[in-house]
Amino acid sequence: TNGAAMKAWSASMLSLRTPDNLIATTYEIAHFTHNNVISVSGACAISTAVNAALSDGIKLKDVMEAAIKGADQGYSYAEQHGAMMMAGPSVARRIELAVQIGQKHASWESAVSELADIIGTGLHASEAVPAVFGILACCGNDPEEAILAAVNIGNDTDTVATMVGSIVGALHGIESLPSNYLPVLNKANKFKLEDLATRVLQLHNLVDVKNNFIPKTMLQ
């Protein structure tokens, strides 16, 4: 199922200083609950997309290409490390199909209908994960539109929207989203997401004691 992919963005946060270990880190997170090749493939598609999106000057097209490569790498890595084989289509090839569908549409309203009918948005990783990239291909340069599309695509919308949100958030930054979103999320969930973000960066020595963030160009 797609649960490993839903939480795979966290692998990118754990690999800020060690991007070469991203696939291994993703598998380490995924295999406790989703130790099969298709789920891991889907998880690696998301983690590599988020990782790519965090790079300076990256384009949406590059992010989607990274996801396809990551899905193939994740499948191979999982197979080599003893993950269970599972019947099902290739996540990578279905991402390619979903991207073709998304690119045909000028608006998310029409895109989500075709994506839901052909790609699907159910629990299987080969449905929900490719659907994410179909949405991105349609409206990934508008983060709010992309999240809105994911919420309205039907079936496993919370998972699809989480994955879409993690990628467009990494690609475009918090400045691209309405300023009232963060206070609402913090209040509703009793979160302090700003503090959590700072703690993650401190863990990797990417923020100083005054919470001045180190630029992306210094992450290499």
Side-chain angles (χ1 to χ4, degrees):
T1 58
N2 56 34
M6 186 181 190
K7 60 187 179 184
W9 62 269
S10 60
S12 300
M13 300 298 99
L14 295 172
S15 304
L16 292 175
R17 285 286 193 186
T18 56
D20 290 344
N21 295 336
L22 179 60
I23 298 296
T25 301
T26 306
Y27 181 67
E28 186 174 353
I29 292 172
H31 85 276
F32 290 107
T33 54
H34 296 79
N35 195 23
N36 69 79
V37 292
I38 292 179
S39 290
V40 174
S41 177
C44 289
I46 299 299
S47 66
T48 53
V50 172
N51 186 68
L54 289 169
S55 302
D56 280 329
I58 201 77
K59 302 296 184 184
L60 181 60
K61 177 177 179 290
D62 302 319
V63 171
M64 293 189 291
E65 289 177 353
I68 294 166
K69 182 178 179 181
D72 282 329
Q73 290 176 327
Y75 188 102
S76 297
Y77 187 93
E79 185 177 17
Q80 292 165 10
H81 287 78
M84 183 175 66
M85 299 302 294
M86 176 172 284
S90 165
V91 174
R93 304 293 77 77
R94 283 176 60 78
I95 291 174
E96 293 169 342
L97 175 59
V99 168
Q100 292 174 13
I101 293 171
Q103 289 173 337
K104 295 190 304 181
H105 294 269
S107 68
W108 68 261
E109 289 93 338
S110 59
V112 295
S113 179
E114 187 173 2
L115 287 167
D117 285 345
I118 296 176
I119 302 299
T121 57
L123 296 175
H124 204 281
S126 63
E127 289 191 17
V129 173
V132 167
F133 295 96
I135 290 171
L136 295 178
C138 173
C139 53
N141 283 317
D142 186 328
E144 193 173 12
E145 287 273 295
I147 294 169
L148 190 62
V151 169
N152 285 279
I153 199 169
N155 294 320
D156 200 4
T157 54
D158 63 322
T159 300
V160 175
T162 295
M163 293 186 285
V164 167
S166 68
I167 296 169
V168 296
L171 182 60
H172 299 290
I174 192 172
E175 299 82 5
S176 65
L177 294 168
S179 60
N180 65 309
Y181 276 19
L182 185 58
V184 170
L185 289 169
N186 280 338
K187 182 178 180 180
N189 297 283
K190 297 182 174 59
F191 288 158
K192 291 184 178 180
L193 290 175
E194 306 95 319
D195 292 347
L196 177 59
T198 299
R199 285 165 55 198
V200 169
L201 292 172
Q202 287 174 335
L203 179 66
H204 294 280
N205 297 318
L206 298 176
V207 61
D208 64 23
V209 293
K210 294 182 180 179
N211 293 341
N212 293 314
F213 295 96
I214 295 175
K216 290 180 183 178
T217 52
M218 296 179 64
L219 297 183
Q220 304 303 322

